[in-house]
Amino acid sequence: IPGVVGIYKSSDSFIKRFLKTVYRFYEKHTLNLCDCVHVLSKSLQKEYLSRGVLLSKMHVISQGVNTHKFAYNPKLADGDKFKLLIVSRLEPIKSIDTVIYALSALVDNGCNNVELTIVGTGADYIRLVQKIYELKIDKYIHFYGYIHNFDVYKIYQNHDVLLLTSKMEGLPNVVLEAQASGIPVIGTKVGEMTSLLKNGRGVLVNLNDVKGVSNAITLLMENDDLYENIKLNSRKFVVQNHSYNQLVNLYLKMYTVA
């Protein structure tokens, strides 16, 4: 029976500093005794390579998306509004404030044909609502609450842009889902977002860059050619690299090697 270990995030996030040296010693030797080590991204592969895990042991197989369920939407969302979307836990690390301030700036500059839907729940909900009312933009923002994973694909079909302005990310599935649906993504330069959104597959912004986010929204609203190119590039990228069919072949290869 093949011995395969999966690594989905850095162990540094939950190991105290004084235990790290001891843990890494045993971690390296344990992983090298396995037949295969499955890592979710090239950045994780690079991290564990630096810790002494053998390159020959590691197989990069990322998260997958049902590209039939998250089908390509060739048109903008219906209606006169340019519809923005956040699908996220409502936590400070997600930096949803950045989008709220960016939307406020757009409204202050006379842009009234934009609205934001926030899907998700979390500890930051009350504070975010208070901030929205303080900025007097409550009529432009709607909280959807929790939605089951089986139904989330419907949300993408009714929106024009996904925003993810987190302070920290790994390989966010919401970005892959949006790209599969042909929804352009505006995201911060953290984690694997840089690789997902480069080469014309999205718009990257700096962390906590309110002006950068508002400019990115305006860019996608006003540049139809850019918007369409991002939709097509994103969908093509996900189908070729993150569809279930592609990942099944990679898993079969890994277990064959093991």
Side-chain angles (χ1 to χ4, degrees):
I1 299 174
V4 178
V5 173
I7 298 175
Y8 307 120
K9 64 185 294 186
S10 172
S11 59
D12 286 353
S13 60
F14 57 87
I15 297 177
K16 295 184 182 296
R17 185 175 299 175
F18 68 90
L19 290 176
K20 190 176 295 184
T21 301
V22 175
Y23 178 87
R24 284 190 175 182
F25 174 81
Y26 287 103
E27 177 187 59
K28 178 182 72 173
H29 289 283
T30 300
L31 293 176
N32 283 330
L33 285 173
C34 297
D35 294 303
C36 291
V37 178
H38 167 215
V39 292
L40 268 184
S41 65
K42 289 184 178 180
S43 62
L44 270 179
Q45 182 189 49
K46 183 178 179 181
E47 178 181 340
Y48 278 83
L49 185 63
S50 70
R51 297 186 187 186
V53 179
L54 298 174
L55 181 62
S56 60
K57 296 281 187 177
M58 289 190 280
H59 293 253
V60 180
I61 306 177
S62 66
Q63 294 163 203
V65 176
N66 185 336
T67 52
H68 298 290
K69 182 176 182 179
F70 291 91
Y72 179 72
N73 182 14
K75 298 180 180 179
L76 288 169
D78 295 333
D80 298 327
K81 300 287 188 179
F82 193 74
K83 298 181 179 180
L84 309 175
L85 176 65
I86 292 174
V87 180
S88 170
R89 301 189 321 274
L90 307 186
E91 305 289 348
I93 197 170
K94 296 299 183 179
S95 196
I96 295 173
D97 305 63
T98 303
V99 180
I100 292 172
Y101 282 118
L103 180 60
S104 178
L106 289 171
V107 172
D108 289 344
N109 288 327
C111 180
N112 297 312
N113 65 329
V114 63
E115 64 181 24
L116 170 65
T117 301
I118 301 176
V119 176
T121 60
D124 221 16
Y125 171 73
I126 293 176
R127 188 186 66 81
L128 291 172
V129 170
Q130 290 173 340
K131 180 63 62 179
I132 289 165
Y133 275 94
E134 287 174 10
L135 296 170
K136 299 180 180 179
I137 55 171
D138 49 288
K139 72 176 183 178
Y140 299 96
I141 301 179
H142 314 284
F143 283 90
Y144 197 96
Y146 171 79
I147 184 170
H148 196 282
N149 287 340
F150 289 124
D151 297 320
V152 72
Y153 73 96
K154 300 174 185 177
I155 293 291
Y156 294 111
Q157 297 296 329
N158 293 318
H159 290 83
D160 300 305
V161 172
L162 177 80
L163 296 107
L164 190 61
T165 53
S166 305
K167 298 175 183 178
M168 183 183 299
E169 283 290 344
L171 183 71
N173 221 48
V174 292
V175 171
L176 296 176
E177 291 169 351
Q179 290 181 315
S181 305
I183 308 300
V185 178
I186 298 170
T188 41
K189 301 173 184 176
V190 297
E192 293 297 312
M193 294 245 275
T194 302
S195 62
L196 291 178
L197 303 184
K198 67 180 182 180
N199 297 333
R201 296 193 296 264
V203 182
L204 287 161
V205 296
N206 293 320
L207 188 61
N208 299 322
D209 187 358
V210 173
K211 186 176 181 180
V213 173
S214 63
N215 287 344
I217 294 169
T218 301
L219 180 67
L220 293 177
M221 288 177 63
E222 297 180 349
N223 193 323
D224 292 341
D225 289 339
L226 175 64
Y227 184 92
E228 291 300 322
N229 285 335
I230 291 175
K231 285 166 64 76
L232 292 170
N233 291 338
S234 299
R235 171 70 182 184
K236 181 179 179 181
F237 171 76
V238 172
V239 169
Q240 291 180 345
N241 297 279
H242 295 279
S243 67
Y244 283 167
N245 288 340
Q246 293 294 325
L247 298 190
V248 165
N249 292 332
L250 291 175
Y251 276 111
L252 288 174
K253 181 180 179 181
M254 179 178 70
Y255 278 95
T256 301
V257 171

